[in-house]
Amino acid sequence: MSTLKEILTRRPVAATIRLTVPAGGARPAPPVGPALGQYRLNLMAFCKDFNARTQKYKPDTPMAVVITAFKDNTFEFTVRSPSVTWYLKKAAGLEKGSGRPGHVTASSLTLKHVYEIAKVKQQDPYCQYMPLESICKSIIGTANSMGIKVQKEFD
Amino acid sequence: MSLVINSLRSHFFKHLLCTSTAAAAASTATALIFGHRTRGLVGQSRFSDSVFFFSERYKLLSQLASKTATFSTSRSSSSLETLPTDSYTSPYLSVTIRCQKNVADMLSEALLCFGANSTSIDEHDDSEVGDEICISSIFSVSQDVKESISLAVDSIGLKEIPSYDVVMHDHTDWIKESQESFHPVEVIEGIWIVPEWRKPPDLQATNIILNPGLAFGTGDHPTTKLCLMLLYDVIKGGEVFLDYGTGSGILAIAAIKFGAAFSAGLDIDPQAITAAQHNAALNNIQPEKLFLSLVPSTGSATFTHEIVSKPTDRQHLNDKGVFTETEKFHVVIANILLNPLLDLADQIVSHAKPGATVGLSGIISEQVPRIIQRYSPFLEDIKVSKMDDWACLAGFKKINLG
């Protein structure tokens, strides 16, 4: 739902760049350097901006960034928190999910973990208007597909 | 920057004695990058699985066996830690994949999950007919491109692997391209920041010549501008200035140019210190006026101080090599990030004299209340200046701190 003014003044887009950068750890080096360098974007500005905006996350969590580079060498970017699977693996202390989800349980988590993950996810620009309960349900669904059991409390 | 690259290609692995000439700065730069960085790499907590890290580096070693002399020197040295390449200088693979427009987004997300460092999609004009679009993706040299692509394609349900090309690029390519985006900028009336490879537009004005290298601080970021404006207001001549988080050294050098008697610059990144030393030489600043040092990032006292071995600098460090000048500075500016500002509040303020000006930046507007809350025990009369959603706080250190 863009306003008419926004549509008229929209800058021409040169490219869409996707990256994974650790929170607070953007440096003008690979992976950021080559990816942005080829579109002549200001690396320092992106790194500083990204680091400042990801201060609220734990350092070195891999954030997914989508950068829209415009033809006049300016850019905008949105930052998303890491995928739910990453959070689940971290919370459960796993390297990979279970090989046979549904049959073999790799690990188990409590509802408290799910609630904490849902709170972080709600800060994402895409999930802000979703009720916390539905975010939790989708996290439980992902956990089931990875072979992670969700219990009410640890026994 | 070319000096650094050239000296990378020659044998250099020796302990260094800093002198203030640019050539020596370049050779110290390389030794710093490799000598200190390897130590730093092993100690850093972000490489949690060090075994994996070493095996990845050995793969890199074997692939780049014939490349440059730097590799052979590093392999010949005995310790396990001296690994040649550093992510700043390693080559990378650029892969161009052609695929259908409707799957491009999904494929680029999947590529990120399966090992690509980044993906980018160029926008095509609508006038271009055809269903194909190009995704260009960057992988590190040690990645198996074919396997990553096939896993990614599999995960989104495409039947066949699309055609792709792989090109190996050198690190100088992207460095050169990013340097093209720097232009001279007039921060305050009469003060210009000029990149090393461009001519100053106004020779009469105060020109600060910079080559940021791989460090922060090119001069056109709003926080740098805010800090420079603060410096310009505060420095009347003869002050002693501390730049905490100096990056390219721009604030420390600017302070000297505005008339400060002495500047000190601290940073946790060795790249920053070398860039700052290089920039100081570019601006003809004598070593007595400018002192640069590395500080440990976790605040522990145990760090190697082979970086700073100028004889004049020893006076500022105690026998453990830790910067311990407390209550010596008339002006202290820290242009870093929210979390370091919160964690290091005590240290930053301890360096300032009572009544000194303390400036804090690198924060976005919404983070200002937290900084005010953290620093109000130490500072009074805190003023906030903003530019473009970035903020800079300035206050005076309280005279009687209990």
Side-chain angles (χ1 to χ4, degrees):
Chain A
M1 303 293 142
S2 325
T3 61
L4 187 61
K5 188 167 178 221
E6 272 177 38
I7 297 176
L8 288 175
T9 52
R10 196 168 281 179
R11 293 168 283 183
V13 180
T16 313
I17 309 171
R18 285 189 175 81
L19 283 181
T20 313
V21 193
R27 298 262 174 291
V32 179
L36 273 73
Q38 59 179 330
Y39 296 102
R40 313 244 185 301
L41 300 177
N42 195 338
L43 285 177
M44 298 299 168
F46 169 71
C47 290
K48 208 129 193 212
D49 213 342
F50 174 81
N51 286 339
R53 286 184 204 287
T54 52
Q55 285 292 295
K56 53 188 172 188
Y57 293 101
K58 219 164 149 198
D60 292 335
T61 43
M63 317 290 296
V65 194
V66 180
I67 305 168
T68 314
F70 299 103
K71 289 213 163 77
D72 55 353
N73 289 349
T74 53
F75 62 90
E76 277 172 1
F77 67 94
T78 51
V79 181
R80 287 181 323 196
S81 51
S83 60
V84 174
T85 50
W86 187 84
Y87 274 112
L88 286 171
K89 278 194 244 175
K90 199 150 173 289
L94 292 175
E95 274 295 312
K96 312 196 296 192
S98 139
R100 299 199 319 142
H103 299 276
V104 175
T105 312
S107 182
S108 59
L109 294 174
T110 58
L111 276 184
K112 196 163 182 293
H113 291 108
V114 175
Y115 175 62
E116 294 292 326
I117 298 175
K119 274 207 300 198
V120 177
K121 276 282 156 188
Q122 212 183 26
Q123 290 169 5
D124 254 7
Y126 301 108
C127 302
Q128 265 168 4
Y129 308 111
M130 280 167 60
L132 206 58
E133 203 191 323
S134 34
I135 303 181
C136 286
K137 280 196 194 154
S138 96
I139 293 175
I140 296 177
T142 313
N144 287 337
S145 75
M146 285 167 71
I148 296 181
K149 211 165 72 137
V150 179
Q151 296 164 305
K152 266 231 154 89
E153 273 130 23
F154 279 132
D155 305 320
Chain B
M1 198 63 200
S2 55
L3 277 173
V4 176
I5 296 167
N6 285 335
S7 37
L8 276 175
R9 303 196 196 285
S10 60
H11 287 253
F12 60 82
F13 217 90
K14 54 186 181 285
H15 275 291
L16 44 117
L17 285 169
C18 291
T19 64
S20 63
T21 61
S27 61
T28 61
T30 52
L32 289 174
I33 292 171
F34 290 89
H36 188 78
R37 183 154 286 270
T38 55
R39 225 173 281 262
L41 276 173
V42 173
Q44 267 178 19
S45 56
R46 72 177 72 166
F47 291 105
S48 51
D49 192 354
S50 52
V51 175
F52 166 76
F53 167 66
F54 285 133
S55 61
E56 191 196 22
R57 288 298 186 183
Y58 281 126
K59 256 200 278 180
L60 202 56
L61 261 181
S62 52
Q63 282 174 1
L64 302 166
S66 57
K67 278 274 175 175
T68 62
T70 56
F71 293 98
S72 61
T73 49
S74 307
R75 258 191 294 163
S76 64
S77 49
S78 49
S79 74
L80 196 67
E81 303 159 41
T82 53
L83 301 161
T85 54
D86 178 7
S87 57
Y88 290 106
T89 55
S90 52
Y92 58 95
L93 297 170
S94 168
V95 179
T96 322
I97 308 173
R98 278 172 291 285
C99 69
Q100 308 273 331
K101 270 194 189 154
N102 51 351
V103 298
D105 278 338
M106 290 202 296
L107 184 55
S108 45
E109 296 270 347
L111 279 169
L112 275 183
C113 294
F114 284 107
N117 281 342
S118 67
T119 62
S120 46
I121 305 179
D122 284 341
E123 289 290 316
H124 287 253
D125 305 317
D126 288 318
S127 55
E128 263 195 42
V129 181
D131 214 8
E132 294 247 307
I133 201 169
C134 284
I135 303 178
S136 58
S137 177
I138 296 188
F139 286 80
S140 59
V141 194
S142 47
Q143 285 280 342
D144 186 355
V145 175
K146 186 150 180 251
E147 199 189 318
S148 306
I149 295 184
S150 55
L151 281 172
V153 165
D154 222 11
S155 75
I156 59 174
L158 275 187
K159 299 278 189 321
E160 51 182 28
I161 302 186
S163 58
Y164 62 93
D165 301 316
V166 183
V167 179
M168 162 120 52
H169 285 288
D170 202 23
H171 63 276
T172 45
D173 295 343
W174 65 268
I175 292 179
K176 241 194 282 250
E177 280 172 327
S178 67
Q179 286 175 348
E180 301 210 354
S181 62
F182 296 144
H183 297 277
V185 58
E186 184 174 22
V187 182
I188 312 166
E189 201 177 306
I191 318 274
W192 287 81
I193 315 259
V194 181
E196 188 186 357
W197 47 87
R198 297 211 196 267
K199 276 180 14 171
D202 180 1
L203 286 163
Q204 305 295 354
T206 314
N207 290 318
I208 304 175
I209 306 178
L210 268 199
N211 177 0
L214 294 160
F216 288 109
T218 55
D220 56 337
H221 197 267
T223 54
T224 319
K225 286 189 192 156
L226 284 169
C227 290
L228 282 169
M229 294 198 294
L230 175 67
L231 258 187
Y232 191 68
D233 288 333
V234 169
I235 300 260
K236 307 276 182 285
E239 282 98 346
V240 181
F241 168 64
L242 174 62
D243 185 6
Y244 209 98
T246 184
S248 60
I250 180 172
L251 294 178
I253 295 172
I256 304 268
K257 294 240 165 175
F258 294 159
F262 178 76
S263 266
L266 304 178
D267 206 293
I268 56 171
D269 185 3
Q271 289 275 344
I273 301 294
T274 58
Q277 281 166 342
H278 183 66
N279 289 326
L282 279 179
N283 286 286
N284 300 321
I285 301 212
Q286 280 88 35
E288 306 85 57
K289 293 210 149 204
L290 182 63
F291 165 73
L292 295 164
S293 173
L294 204 60
V295 283
S297 50
T298 51
S300 64
T302 53
F303 81 112
T304 57
H305 50 86
E306 48 195 59
I307 310 304
V308 181
S309 44
K310 274 190 262 185
T312 48
D313 296 339
R314 288 282 178 205
Q315 58 184 294
H316 298 291
L317 305 174
N318 67 6
D319 46 24
K320 287 217 199 92
V322 179
F323 188 77
T324 52
E325 300 272 352
T326 47
E327 304 223 340
K328 291 279 170 58
F329 293 94
H330 297 108
V331 186
V332 177
I333 294 195
N335 185 3
I336 34 187
L337 292 166
L338 173 73
N339 286 342
L341 280 176
L342 296 174
D343 293 334
L344 298 169
D346 300 307
Q347 285 179 346
I348 294 175
V349 175
S350 73
H351 292 305
K353 278 192 165 136
T357 308
V358 178
L360 310 161
S361 192
I363 41 185
I364 46 182
S365 306
E366 63 183 20
Q367 297 168 338
V368 169
R370 285 184 70 188
I371 298 275
I372 293 186
Q373 192 193 21
R374 179 75 175 93
Y375 278 81
S376 42
F378 307 111
L379 304 180
E380 54 190 7
D381 199 18
I382 299 182
K383 291 198 196 54
V384 181
S385 48
K386 292 197 185 170
M387 191 192 284
D388 282 355
D389 201 33
W390 295 94
C392 176
L393 273 81
F396 299 102
K397 180 168 172 181
K398 286 188 181 162
I399 308 278
N400 338 320
L401 271 180

